[in-house]
Amino acid sequence: METITVRTREHAQLIDITREIQNLLSKSNLGEGIVTIFVPHTTAGITINESADPSVMHDILAVLDRLVPWREPYYEHSEGNAASHVKASIMGSSVRVIVSDGGLKLGTWQGIFFCEFDGPRTRKVHVAFQSAVSG
Ligand code: ZN
């Protein structure tokens, strides 16, 4: 397993980490298999979506803000960041990507995005490579 560090700059921010994952994959010499990317935080998540147009990331954050307002009278979490926790669960804490010929089998427009919902902070992302059984 490898761990990368992500330093976020905004309270809420989606950061493309595809290149970092591909760099780790290249060093691993994994030809065929699966990579699991796991975020060990309760107010951050991970997702795969469009990396070509940054406005998509803006729109995802805007929709999440409308779905999960920062302040609601019914929130009970005493730390005051209930919205961050809810958004992290909506996005999820891991993604898996197929590896073939040493490359991530992402679609043309896809990238892997770290999702910060309670930044700015220094975050960790765990990356585990699993070799396919060759036949
Ligand atoms: Zn909290």
Side-chain angles (χ1 to χ4, degrees):
M1 192 198 79
E2 305 276 349
T3 300
I4 62 174
T5 299
V6 179
R7 289 182 182 82
T8 64
R9 296 173 191 281
E10 309 288 340
H11 182 66
Q13 186 179 11
L14 304 184
I15 300 173
D16 191 339
I17 59 169
T18 311
R19 188 169 299 162
E20 286 87 342
I21 304 300
Q22 180 61 57
N23 288 345
L24 285 181
L25 175 59
S26 300
K27 283 184 208 160
S28 78
N29 291 318
L30 178 68
E32 306 290 322
I34 296 280
V35 56
T36 301
I37 302 138
F38 179 79
V39 172
H41 301 289
T42 60
T43 56
I46 191 137
T47 194
I48 294 174
N49 212 299
E50 170 153 351
S51 60
D53 180 359
S55 66
V56 173
M57 290 303 120
H58 167 273
D59 293 348
I60 289 173
L61 287 175
V63 170
L64 287 171
D65 274 341
R66 293 197 71 171
L67 285 174
V68 190
W70 184 250
R71 292 186 198 287
E72 287 288 3
Y74 52 81
Y75 288 160
E76 293 187 356
H77 181 49
S78 62
E79 201 186 10
N81 61 352
S84 307
H85 291 284
V86 173
K87 289 176 182 176
S89 272
I90 288 173
M91 300 308 271
S93 58
S94 69
V95 293
R96 304 180 85 201
V97 181
I98 294 168
V99 173
S100 184
D101 275 335
L104 299 165
K105 295 306 284 182
L106 291 166
T108 304
W109 308 112
Q110 286 182 316
I112 303 163
F113 289 84
F114 180 86
C115 309
E116 175 64 82
F117 295 119
D118 202 16
R121 296 195 195 201
T122 300
R123 301 291 204 170
K124 288 185 167 67
V125 178
H126 298 319
V127 185
F129 301 104
Q130 190 177 354
S131 182
V133 178
S134 53

